[in-house]
Amino acid sequence: MLEAAMFGGIPEGTGYNFAYAPHQFMQAQGRYPRPAPRPPSPSLEAQRLIREQQDDEYLAALQADREKELKAKAEAEARRVEEEAAKRAALEEERRKEEEARRRLEEEQEFERQLAAKEASLPQEPSSSDENAITLLVRMPDGSRRGRRFLKSDKLESLFDFIDIGRAVKPGTYRVVRPYPRRAFSDGEGSLTLNDLGLASKQEALFLELI
């Protein structure tokens, strides 16, 4: 029996009818078998999904923050451009108003110089006893009257200058009219004398007609 156990045989005359085989742990094997990988537990899978979801949410929040920052920068730039445009427009409007005020001032000054020159060029008013003197009474558009003595030899231009320096009407916007017989006199006839135009009576009543 001992020999059989040592040399792997079955002694003759025993009751064993099958060959003895060594235990499987005593058999030579090339390598140990590897156990099959087990699937991750449900708790690990859930943790992985939570981490992925958190990562996605973080990336989405980061992208949203970047978009907000870009939008804020764009809005700030638009406001800056708009404010600069408003400043330029305000400066341009101020320059325009200053230029307009300067132009009006120059026009007023020129107008006053012209009126001063007209007043200085008026012939001396003759006395009422002068036989060549005529009194011209002019009714203004507002109903008031202006009168002055002129010589028959004075030019019609002197009458227009006398009306202009009264500042009741703007020069060049009217004509002088004798009602009867009706006769309208324009500043284009300024070089003619009063006598040439038929204004030779001792007193003439005239009125202004706006054109």
Side-chain angles (χ1 to χ4, degrees):
M1 297 277 304
L2 179 60
E3 291 181 357
M6 292 179 62
F7 297 101
I10 302 298
E12 295 180 1
T14 65
Y16 295 99
N17 295 321
F18 52 87
Y20 173 79
H23 193 271
Q24 59 178 350
F25 293 107
M26 298 178 62
Q27 296 178 358
Q29 294 182 356
R31 59 182 176 178
Y32 293 103
R34 294 181 179 179
R38 291 181 298 176
S41 64
S43 60
L44 294 178
E45 181 68 16
Q47 292 177 5
R48 184 182 64 80
L49 293 176
I50 291 174
R51 284 197 300 270
E52 290 180 355
Q53 182 179 1
Q54 290 175 344
D55 291 342
D56 292 341
E57 291 176 353
Y58 172 76
L59 293 175
L62 184 62
Q63 181 65 22
D65 290 341
R66 289 177 179 174
E67 291 177 356
K68 289 180 180 179
E69 183 179 357
L70 292 175
K71 182 179 180 181
K73 288 182 179 180
E75 291 176 350
E77 178 64 16
R79 285 194 301 269
R80 185 188 66 79
V81 172
E82 184 178 355
E83 289 173 357
E84 289 182 355
K87 289 180 180 178
R88 288 195 299 269
L91 290 175
E92 183 64 25
E93 179 65 14
E94 185 177 356
R95 284 195 294 267
R96 187 192 65 79
K97 290 181 178 179
E98 290 177 354
E99 179 64 22
E100 180 67 17
R102 184 188 62 80
R103 185 184 62 81
R104 286 198 302 266
L105 179 60
E106 290 179 352
E107 290 179 353
E108 291 174 359
Q109 291 175 344
E110 177 62 23
F111 179 67
E112 291 298 326
R113 284 194 294 268
Q114 292 176 0
L115 292 183
K118 289 180 178 183
E119 187 172 9
S121 66
L122 279 178
Q124 185 176 0
E125 186 174 8
S127 65
S128 58
S129 60
D130 192 325
E131 62 180 11
N132 290 319
I134 59 174
T135 300
L136 299 180
L137 297 175
V138 183
R139 179 164 54 86
M140 311 304 290
D142 61 0
S144 62
R145 291 181 179 272
R146 297 198 66 199
R148 188 185 189 277
R149 288 189 299 274
F150 292 88
L151 292 175
K152 295 178 183 180
S153 58
D154 290 336
K155 295 181 179 180
L156 180 65
E157 181 182 14
S158 297
L159 175 60
F160 278 92
D161 290 345
F162 169 70
I163 296 171
D164 290 344
I165 64 176
R167 294 177 172 80
V169 289
K170 186 177 180 179
T173 64
Y174 65 90
R175 55 190 173 190
V176 178
V177 180
R178 182 180 63 192
Y180 185 82
R182 180 179 171 84
R183 171 76 159 86
F185 307 98
S186 66
D187 55 2
E189 301 171 295
S191 61
L192 299 176
T193 66
L194 299 177
N195 189 57
D196 292 338
L197 295 170
L199 298 173
S201 300
K202 193 66 176 178
Q203 180 172 305
E204 295 280 356
L206 308 170
F207 68 91
L208 295 188
E209 185 176 78
L210 298 178
I211 57 177

